[in-house]
Amino acid sequence: EVQLVESGGGLVQPGGSLRLSCAASGFTFSSYWMSWVRQAPGKGLEWVANIKQDGSEKYYVDSVKGRFTISRDNAKNSLYLQMNSLRAEDTAVYYCARGSYSIENWGQGTLVTVSS
Amino acid sequence: SYVLTQPPSVSVAPGKTARITCGGNNIGSKSVHWYQQKPGQAPVLVIYYDSDRPSGIPERFSGSNSGNTATLTISRVEAGDEADYYCQVWDSSSDHAVFGGGTQLTVL
């Protein structure tokens, strides 16, 4: 069974940093593109970033370029999202997701709140 | 950037057919994926590549895509189908995934 478990969310002040992690199991992690998708409270889904199987290609939504960095460790079956210079509008549930063109599986999400 | 437009809400009586549209410029040339999200839960893929169903998704869910509109069709709607539904494409011109704004399906 595919499992994606996010961690690292919490309350952070504007301008602060946070690192999200996603532990993957139940599939060959190194064979899949992986993504982060977020959902602001009461709003729709927004794709944030994705990364190729070997980490050689990464893409970001314009609003996070230069502030967020997606990475992965295939030896640890883990996906990461380093978030710097956080803003109030980054407040959302962040989902770890398997896939790129389509999202086959989703984690349960971790809440990031940016507030003073 | 590529924009996907969905109606905010659709209502349907139990046992009837619900159709949720997703509009985009020449969307028929792209592959469309659909997700179901129930309150407090993560999204679930219900249709991928326009009309394919993942294992475990009932045959009542189907999809089509042509011209400027993609459609998710839910036949014989049940109370348990009440959820938000999102369409999504990969925009190769920008290397971005794009989601529609979502449609809330209400079962009357």
Side-chain angles (χ1 to χ4, degrees):
Chain A
E1 178 194 3
V2 173
Q3 285 201 333
L4 300 168
V5 180
E6 303 93 338
S7 60
L11 175 64
V12 61
Q13 292 188 338
S17 298
L18 215 52
R19 188 195 195 206
L20 305 183
S21 299
C22 171
S25 61
F27 65 102
T28 304
F29 181 73
S30 59
S31 296
Y32 288 85
W33 280 79
M34 296 294 294
S35 302
W36 288 98
V37 178
R38 67 185 179 182
Q39 187 170 34
K43 302 297 184 182
L45 301 172
E46 181 183 37
W47 171 79
V48 175
N50 62 5
I51 184 169
K52 195 176 180 179
Q53 290 90 330
D54 61 359
S56 61
E57 293 182 36
K58 305 174 185 182
Y59 301 101
Y60 300 90
V61 70
D62 290 349
S63 59
V64 309
K65 276 181 185 175
R67 300 189 299 122
F68 290 12
T69 302
I70 189 172
S71 63
R72 64 192 296 163
D73 185 335
N74 287 342
K76 295 183 177 179
N77 290 339
S78 293
L79 178 71
Y80 306 101
L81 186 67
Q82 177 67 43
M83 303 186 295
N84 298 331
S85 302
L86 283 160
R87 306 166 180 168
E89 54 264 35
D90 295 318
T91 294
V93 173
Y94 284 73
Y95 293 102
C96 169
R98 183 178 82 154
S100 178
Y101 294 109
S102 69
I103 304 296
E104 302 165 50
N105 301 94
W106 302 68
Q108 282 305 303
T110 187
L111 176 62
V112 172
T113 303
V114 184
S115 174
S116 55
Chain B
S1 60
Y2 195 76
V3 176
L4 295 174
T5 301
Q6 297 182 237
S9 62
V10 168
S11 299
V12 63
K16 299 300 186 182
T17 297
R19 294 179 179 84
I20 298 172
T21 59
C22 176
N25 184 33
N26 197 26
I27 194 174
S29 67
K30 301 182 183 298
S31 295
V32 180
H33 317 290
W34 291 91
Y35 304 90
Q36 175 194 68
Q37 186 180 34
K38 296 181 179 180
Q41 298 184 19
V44 173
L45 180 67
V46 294
I47 293 290
Y48 63 104
Y49 289 109
D50 296 341
S51 58
D52 290 338
R53 261 188 330 275
S55 60
I57 301 301
E59 291 184 7
R60 301 184 297 103
F61 288 80
S62 62
S64 63
N65 183 21
S66 178
N68 293 317
T69 304
T71 303
L72 172 69
T73 301
I74 309 172
S75 305
R76 302 180 300 283
V77 166
E78 304 173 356
D81 298 331
E82 195 162 270
D84 293 328
Y85 291 85
Y86 296 89
C87 59
Q88 177 252 316
V89 302
W90 179 261
D91 179 23
S92 57
S93 66
S94 62
D95 286 324
H96 282 27
V98 179
F99 286 94
T103 298
Q104 183 177 53
L105 177 67
T106 299
V107 181
L108 300 171

